[in-house]
Amino acid sequence: FQIIAALLLLNSCGKIKIPFNVSMELPYSKDFAGPMLDSATHLPPGGFKFATPVQAIATDVQAKLEEKNMTTSQISNIKLTSYVQKISGENFDFVDSVRIFISAAGLPEVSAASQTDIPKGNTEINMVCNPEDLKAYLLKDSIYIRMEGHFNKIPKLSTFHTDLSFKVTAHLT
């Protein structure tokens, strides 16, 4: 214990630099109108694949890091840890499976999260997040989210609410 206390004291005085990793969460929320499909649309047998329009989310990572006295050069990685899709006006019975894609200016679209076999009656879907490092995406001014699903019936015009969170791991000295 005395050795640890001495090292911490020396580190705080700037005599010894001890590198360590820290983590923080970056939460985001977004509301958007659901898919606009004509109710007269004829569904093919077995349903069809449909994607929502792309939704932009401002990242503000630089400002969030400055609040923690951190810089982008200290970031080791950024990973999506939670993606929850909620709906108002109906439930998700119209869709069997969902995939979430993220893109950013100058970067390709990547699969970020998904959920298959969505139970009937749900108004909330907790996605399974992919382990991709999304640092390059979150360091851009905005990320772009696109939801793609396999629809088994025409949904009502609903409002979606998205809650997503990223874990930032940084290496400090």
Side-chain angles (χ1 to χ4, degrees):
F1 177 74
Q2 292 173 346
I3 293 173
I4 293 172
L7 286 173
L8 288 174
L9 179 63
L10 288 172
N11 188 47
S12 67
C13 296
K15 301 290 183 193
I16 295 177
K17 296 283 185 187
I18 300 173
F20 58 98
N21 288 333
V22 297
S23 296
M24 69 181 227
E25 291 294 318
L26 291 178
Y28 297 93
S29 290
K30 178 77 176 180
D31 290 319
F32 63 97
M36 296 180 145
L37 297 172
D38 185 344
S39 60
T41 301
H42 177 66
L43 283 178
F48 67 102
K49 187 175 7 176
F50 183 79
T52 62
V54 173
Q55 301 295 316
I57 298 176
T59 59
D60 299 320
V61 170
Q62 186 69 41
K64 292 175 183 192
L65 290 174
E66 286 174 3
E67 291 172 7
K68 305 285 185 187
N69 294 319
M70 295 167 56
T71 65
T72 57
S73 65
Q74 295 170 313
I75 295 175
S76 302
N77 61 63
I78 301 177
K79 296 187 178 187
L80 181 63
T81 55
S82 174
Y83 194 106
V84 179
Q85 191 68 62
K86 298 175 186 174
I87 192 170
S88 62
E90 69 178 313
N91 57 37
F92 281 109
D93 287 359
F94 59 84
V95 67
D96 298 325
S97 61
V98 175
R99 290 179 58 192
I100 304 300
F101 297 90
I102 292 179
S103 61
L107 296 172
E109 184 177 76
V110 294
S111 177
S114 63
Q115 188 56 266
T116 57
D117 300 323
I118 298 168
K120 299 297 181 203
N122 280 9
T123 58
E124 181 175 304
I125 303 172
N126 292 298
M127 306 286 180
V128 175
C129 299
N130 295 343
E132 311 283 331
D133 181 2
L134 298 171
K135 175 183 173 180
Y137 294 79
L138 271 287
L139 293 183
K140 299 287 186 174
D141 292 336
S142 295
I143 56 172
Y144 302 97
I145 306 289
R146 183 174 66 87
M147 182 172 69
E148 180 182 278
H150 181 265
F151 287 64
N152 55 40
K153 68 179 188 178
I154 304 297
K156 299 175 192 171
L157 181 58
S158 301
T159 300
F160 288 104
H161 177 78
T162 304
D163 288 315
L164 61 158
S165 186
F166 296 87
K167 179 182 178 182
V168 178
T169 303
H171 185 75
L172 306 178
T173 54

